[in-house]
Amino acid sequence: MPNPALETLMLAFTGELNLPTPPRTLFLGAEPHDTLRDWPNLLGWQPHKPLAHAWETSGFHRTDAPSGTWPAILQLPGKSRDEVLAGFANAWEMLEPGGSLIASMSNTAGAARFEKDLSKAVGGVTSIQKHKCRAFIAVKNHDAPASLPADWKSGGERKPVPNTAFIVEAGIFSTGRIDPGSQLLADHLPASLHGLVADLGAGWGFLSDALTRRCPGIRRIDLFEADARALECAKLNLAHSSTDCRFHWHDVTRGLTDRYDAIVMNPPFHTGQATDIDLGRAFLKTAAASLKPGGQLWLVANRQLPYEAVLETSGLSWRNLANDGTYKLLRAQSPHSSR
Ligand SMILES: C[S@@+](CC[C@H](N)C(=O)[O-])C[C@H]1O[C@@H](n2cnc3c(N)ncnc32)[C@H](O)[C@@H]1O
């Protein structure tokens, strides 16, 4: 089953509740589903590029910035606490009087706790439990509050990583601290990196920021990131830099068009909540295919992740330059002659 939370969400319309198809619907965290195919006036918001691509190629309409008011809002609310509660607060604000918010989450993402929070805030929800997920329906009745707790909404606003000037937003990678793996990589980046450089899975821009400060010979950095919210933060975090930085909302597994003198990355190894080593492997393959002859790949990863084999089958030579208790730092190089 591709996404059990989505299947459970759709049960509100196909299962025992059998809700009518709404006349207009906003879907936050939109993912395609056959049940939605004939819905009128359906608009989706989806910050993750691969899912946004799947939504659009399934023929649905997408917005980068949801607005207006709606009689129905569907929501797959993400996973961090601040992100989920801010998501509820923002959705609630966009509901018309009498409108319904229908959210769905997996039990492992804390569905029971979030359902309880929402139920308490709005005065009760109707719940469906299936596929190890919960879908819950909250109606904005005349006796329901016009808005949800102010700290829910403010928890989703951009703010600095504690003790730094870096701006982040709830739900993106590493909002509470600098990732120690990324720090290990930044600490070892040589000042000699130069030319055209790519940062794959750039997040809110930590590694690119280190490159701009450390490496005067860099002509341009291309940041590739799937999460549109992280990329917007990266733009803010690199606004001061005199290095030419370009920002690409892009699924790295689909390859790159340019070739690079150097590539840096701390590849993702999670899809949603599940460990997905293939995602990291796909990043390595894209990097190997995108280096100029003699180009260098600098990457950090959890020590147990078996990335060295991918480097070898991709024709790169590699060295392990550093380890700490959790991470390893690898430097790989493509052959000097053209492949
Ligand atoms: C481990 S984080 C590293 C972030 C940043 N480079 C840092 O060091 O703080 C991996 C990043 O890859 C992004 N990501 C996940 N899947 C992606 C994909 N298919 N294409 C591009 N970026 C992706 C995630 O959103 C996340 O920001």
Side-chain angles (χ1 to χ4, degrees):
M1 183 179 303
N3 181 352
L6 176 64
E7 295 303 325
T8 308
L9 182 69
M10 287 303 136
L11 285 178
F13 298 92
T14 58
E16 67 210 51
L17 293 184
N18 212 7
L19 297 179
T21 303
R24 292 188 307 116
T25 306
L26 177 65
F27 189 174
L28 301 171
E31 294 186 34
H33 193 279
D34 276 347
T35 304
L36 298 169
R37 197 144 293 289
D38 298 322
W39 283 28
N41 306 310
L42 172 64
L43 187 63
W45 172 77
Q46 175 51 261
H48 292 283
K49 183 70 180 184
L51 294 174
H53 180 75
W55 177 255
E56 285 184 315
T57 53
S58 300
F60 297 112
H61 296 290
R62 192 180 65 76
T63 177
D64 287 328
S67 62
T69 56
W70 300 81
I73 297 182
L74 309 184
Q75 191 167 34
L76 294 170
K79 45 190 192 298
S80 88
R81 181 164 178 80
D82 283 347
E83 174 189 21
V84 172
L85 295 181
F88 289 160
N90 289 327
W92 197 254
E93 264 182 23
M94 288 191 282
L95 266 189
E96 288 176 3
S100 298
L101 170 63
I102 304 122
S104 180
M105 309 177 68
S106 73
N107 293 342
T108 52
R113 185 168 45 109
F114 288 118
E115 179 185 321
K116 208 165 144 201
D117 288 339
L118 184 64
S119 180
K120 200 167 153 208
V122 304
V125 298
T126 307
S127 179
I128 303 169
Q129 295 172 41
K130 188 88 180 174
H131 310 311
K132 298 185 178 156
C133 296
R134 282 169 180 255
F136 31 99
I137 299 133
V139 182
K140 200 173 186 179
N141 286 325
H142 61 277
D143 52 349
S147 55
L148 299 186
D151 60 328
W152 289 18
K153 193 169 162 71
S154 62
E157 285 162 8
R158 288 181 186 145
K159 51 174 144 336
V161 175
N163 306 315
T164 78
F166 294 117
I167 299 297
V168 292
E169 183 176 324
I172 69 174
F173 174 75
S174 192
T175 55
R177 60 172 189 165
I178 307 292
D179 179 70
S182 301
Q183 186 68 62
L184 181 71
L185 175 48
D187 289 345
H188 286 80
L189 284 174
S192 58
L193 293 183
H194 61 275
L196 200 51
V197 178
D199 180 355
L200 305 191
W204 47 258
F206 175 71
L207 292 177
S208 288
D209 177 79
L211 288 167
T212 64
R213 293 173 193 278
R214 181 83 50 84
C215 314
I218 291 181
R219 188 160 45 84
R220 191 179 95 207
I221 304 175
D222 283 347
L223 293 87
F224 296 94
E225 169 56 48
D227 186 334
R229 301 165 303 173
L231 200 63
E232 288 308 308
C233 292
K235 287 179 192 169
L236 297 174
N237 290 326
L238 288 157
H240 66 274
S241 169
S242 56
T243 310
D244 181 5
C245 293
R246 310 234 177 130
F247 302 87
H248 308 272
W249 188 40
H250 183 73
D251 176 357
V252 163
T253 66
R254 299 175 78 85
L256 311 178
T257 46
D258 264 327
R259 295 290 170 268
Y260 294 91
D261 297 292
I263 294 178
V264 299
M265 64 180 175
N266 176 359
F269 59 97
H270 286 106
T271 303
Q273 306 234 306
T275 300
D276 182 0
I277 295 171
D278 286 343
L279 180 57
R281 286 196 178 109
F283 263 59
L284 264 72
K285 285 182 189 154
T286 291
S290 308
L291 285 172
K292 292 180 183 175
Q296 296 180 27
L297 168 61
W298 288 74
L299 82 107
V300 70
N302 278 53
R303 282 176 57 183
Q304 80 277 10
L305 293 174
Y307 287 154
E308 291 82 349
V310 184
L311 296 174
E312 277 167 23
T313 52
S314 303
L316 305 189
S317 54
W318 60 272
R319 280 182 58 194
N320 181 328
L321 295 185
N323 293 296
D324 65 13
T326 313
Y327 299 98
K328 60 187 170 191
L329 174 68
L330 304 177
R331 190 196 63 193
Q333 189 160 30
S334 78
H336 279 278
S337 56
S338 292
R339 283 167 286 159

